[in-house]
């Protein structure tokens, strides 16, 4: 029995048998996947230093949950087995997805797990936007205590798809947007840590997951990139969605990428913070995923390797980016296309796309902390919520051995 165990159906607070600090407000963080866990850690940082609050984590069954518990334990988090978590009463629960959340005995705050709501269900009628459908919002028919949105425009889609949840909607902002924006002024620190001395350029290849992602084109794209980078000052790094690693298995993904890594390709592992690498990029090759969209915050020109119309929410900034960024062509050299992307790059146009990520830029921490403490019934700490700068990346995690640079 853990320090938080209680009998299901008892209605009593959990029996904290082994804790030194008792009588705390308890918060359960439900990390279905590594992606969800990364997003939620930004939120947890707003309250976990408060001695009035005890935060614990759990990982429910999920087909893409491989590595989630390991990721949390490596961060030093207390991880309860799912079966134990659903037998326990909590004051608040945080989740970035609705799966099995009706079993949780707490007020639930539901957050998006990526930028905006960029994708729709391919082939579905009425443009079903993933993340805002009824089944994405309601918890076994119950409205959560709060449905967190990044942009005011998202209210309209929620009103169309799940009007009963509109009263719980809170436009709070986007934590990833704010942390990237705050860290861009120290971009040179990240670049130096990655070995990107003056004169070296970094090409970041980003991929979401699924059949329409850039990852499905790596077999043709990566050899071209490596061939044209040979003997130049370019470095290459791929940022692959954790769901690719979980779905196929990290051993398999590493095996697929191994021959290219031996030739100099950098591979950002799924448990590493990808944001400093994106901040360091001089050019981004991406698709319709969140990471590519966050790239509009940087000054790096963007080329699109995949933009599946049937998967993109046409009302999203991803659709606008697909009309703005040049599409990668198989008929011209990459060097030519990189030069074209740089020459055609217009910063105001990309800033307009980036502005659609959130209608509360720079205010996520303040808004989110106010929401959490209100639901917990506690007064906020008497200081501004400040997130630390993103961690300095370890180049050994990205480039291994001979892969520290592109081979000549």
């Amino acid at each position: 029995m853990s320090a938080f165990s209680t009998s299901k159906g008892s209605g009593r607070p959990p029996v904290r048998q082994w804790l030194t600090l008792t009588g705390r407000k308890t918060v359960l963080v439900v990390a279905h996947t590594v992606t969800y866990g990364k997003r939620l850690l930004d939120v947890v940082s707003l309250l976990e230093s408060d001695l009035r609050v005890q935060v614990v984590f759990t990982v429910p069954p999920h087909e893409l949950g491989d590595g989630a518990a390991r990721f949390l334990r490596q961060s030093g988090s207390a991880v309860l087995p799912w079966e134990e978590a659903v037998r326990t009463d909590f004051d608040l629960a945080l989740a970035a997805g609705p799966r099995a959340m009706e079993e949780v005995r707490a007020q639930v705050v539901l957050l998006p797990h990526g930028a905006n709501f960029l994708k729709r269900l391919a082939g579905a009628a009425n443009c079903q936007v993933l993340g805002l459908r009824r089944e994405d919002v309601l918890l076994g028919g119950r409205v959560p205590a709060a449905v967190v949105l990044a942009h005011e425009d998202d209210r309209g889609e929620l009103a169309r798809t799940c009007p009963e949840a509109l009263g719980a909607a809170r436009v709070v902002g986007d934590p990833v947007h704010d942390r990237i924006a705050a860290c861009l002024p120290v971009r040179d620190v990240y670049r130096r840590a990655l070995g990107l001395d003056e004169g070296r350029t970094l090409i970041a290849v980003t991929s979401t997951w699924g059949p329409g992602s850039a990852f499905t084109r790596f077999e043709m794209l990566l050899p071209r990139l490596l061939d044209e980078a040979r003997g130049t000052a370019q470095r290459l790094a791929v940022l692959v969605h954790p769901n690719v690693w979980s779905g196929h298995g990290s051993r398999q993904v590493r095996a697929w990428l191994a021959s290219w890594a031996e030739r100099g390709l950098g591979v950002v592992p799924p448990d590493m913070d990808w944001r400093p690498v994106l901040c360091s990029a001089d050019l981004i090759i991406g698709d319709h995923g969140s990471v590519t969209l966050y790239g509009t915050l940087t000054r790096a020109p963007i080329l699109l390797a995949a933009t599946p119309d049937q998967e993109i929410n046409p009302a999203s900034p991803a659709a606008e980016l697909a009309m703005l960024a040049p599409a990668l062509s198989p008929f011209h050299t990459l060097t030519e296309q990189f030069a074209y992307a740089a020459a055609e790059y217009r910063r105001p146009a990309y800033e307009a796309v980036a502005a659609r990520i959130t209608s509360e830029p720079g205010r996520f921490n303040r808004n989110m902390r106010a929401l959490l403490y209100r639901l917990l019934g506690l007064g906020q700490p008497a200081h501004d919520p400040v997130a630390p700068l993103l961690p300095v990346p370890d180049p050994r995690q990205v480039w291994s051995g001979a892969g520290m640079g592109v081979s000549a």
Side-chain angles (χ1 to χ4, degrees):
M1 180 182 292
S2 84
F4 294 92
S5 296
T6 187
S7 298
K8 187 171 179 67
S10 70
R12 297 191 303 272
V15 179
R16 305 176 182 92
Q17 290 188 335
W18 313 116
L19 298 184
T20 298
L21 294 180
T22 60
R24 312 294 105 172
K25 294 285 188 177
T26 55
V27 177
L28 178 69
V29 181
V30 184
H32 298 75
T33 69
V34 171
T35 300
Y36 292 10
K38 286 184 171 184
R39 176 61 62 126
L40 293 169
L41 285 180
D42 279 340
V43 180
V44 169
S45 66
L46 299 174
L47 48 74
E48 65 182 347
S49 62
D50 193 327
L51 287 167
R52 299 171 295 171
V53 178
Q54 167 72 57
V55 178
V56 294
F57 295 74
T58 191
V59 179
H62 194 286
E63 57 268 24
L64 294 172
D66 181 50
R70 182 175 61 252
F71 168 73
L72 293 173
R73 290 193 178 96
Q74 286 173 346
S75 75
S77 303
V79 183
L80 286 181
W82 173 247
E83 296 77 11
E84 207 167 316
V86 296
R87 294 198 302 267
T88 303
D89 294 317
F90 293 91
D91 296 295
L92 193 64
L94 309 177
R99 179 82 64 89
M101 290 304 296
E102 70 277 4
E103 300 180 46
V104 174
R105 299 165 60 176
Q107 303 177 90
V108 174
V109 176
L110 198 60
L111 297 101
H113 62 264
N116 300 93
F117 299 96
L118 305 181
K119 299 178 184 180
R120 58 178 170 172
L121 190 62
N126 302 321
C127 186
Q128 295 187 31
V129 177
L130 296 175
L132 290 175
R133 301 171 301 164
R134 291 179 61 83
E135 56 265 46
D136 297 328
V137 176
L138 299 183
L139 313 177
R142 173 170 58 94
V143 177
V147 178
V148 170
L149 304 175
H151 203 289
E152 193 66 39
D153 290 349
D154 296 327
R155 287 186 186 271
E157 180 64 20
L158 185 63
R160 183 180 75 85
T161 59
C162 192
E164 61 266 49
L166 199 57
R170 300 291 182 270
V171 179
V172 171
D174 185 298
V176 174
H177 170 285
D178 289 0
R179 294 198 71 187
I180 288 177
C183 290
L184 284 172
V186 298
R187 173 178 183 263
D188 286 346
V189 174
Y190 301 138
R191 288 178 58 81
R192 285 194 296 270
L194 290 169
L196 300 170
D197 303 325
E198 191 160 342
R200 279 198 178 273
T201 60
L202 175 64
I203 300 172
V205 184
T206 74
S207 177
T208 186
W209 67 290
S213 69
F215 190 82
T216 63
R217 305 188 180 191
F218 275 12
E219 190 173 9
M220 294 179 291
L221 175 61
L222 296 183
R224 290 183 67 198
L225 282 169
L226 288 164
D227 285 345
E228 294 204 25
R230 185 181 294 113
T232 73
Q234 293 176 344
R235 281 191 178 177
L236 309 171
V238 294
L239 295 75
V240 178
H241 196 291
N243 284 1
V244 177
W245 295 86
S246 295
H248 292 283
S250 59
R251 179 184 177 90
Q252 179 65 81
V253 174
R254 288 192 182 281
W256 282 333
L257 299 177
S259 62
W260 300 316
E262 290 170 0
R263 295 173 56 193
L265 178 71
V267 179
V268 177
D271 54 351
M272 179 179 168
D273 197 324
W274 51 267
R275 295 171 292 188
V277 180
L278 188 72
C279 289
S280 302
D282 298 290
L283 178 78
I284 297 168
I285 299 175
D287 54 20
H288 58 304
S290 293
V291 177
T292 308
L293 182 61
Y294 286 127
T296 60
L297 292 165
T298 75
R299 291 183 172 273
I302 296 174
L303 282 161
L304 294 177
T307 52
D309 290 343
Q310 70 278 11
E311 291 185 19
I312 299 177
N313 171 12
S316 73
E320 186 176 348
L321 181 60
M323 296 294 293
L324 174 64
L328 205 61
S329 167
F331 304 112
H332 298 272
T333 68
L334 293 175
T335 302
E336 289 179 274
Q337 295 181 69
F338 296 166
Y340 177 86
E344 293 296 313
Y345 183 79
R346 300 292 181 268
R347 184 65 198 144
Y350 283 83
E351 287 176 339
V353 176
R356 295 187 58 195
I357 295 175
T358 173
S359 57
E360 293 286 319
R363 293 187 287 275
F364 176 85
N365 286 348
R366 183 177 294 274
N367 293 341
M368 191 71 207
R369 192 179 76 169
L371 172 62
L372 296 176
Y373 275 87
R374 185 165 63 249
L375 291 172
L376 285 170
L378 294 174
Q380 295 187 61
H383 58 81
D384 288 332
V386 179
L389 292 177
L390 295 170
V392 174
D394 182 351
R396 294 170 298 181
Q397 289 188 275
V398 181
W399 288 281
S400 58
M404 288 298 291
V406 177
S407 55

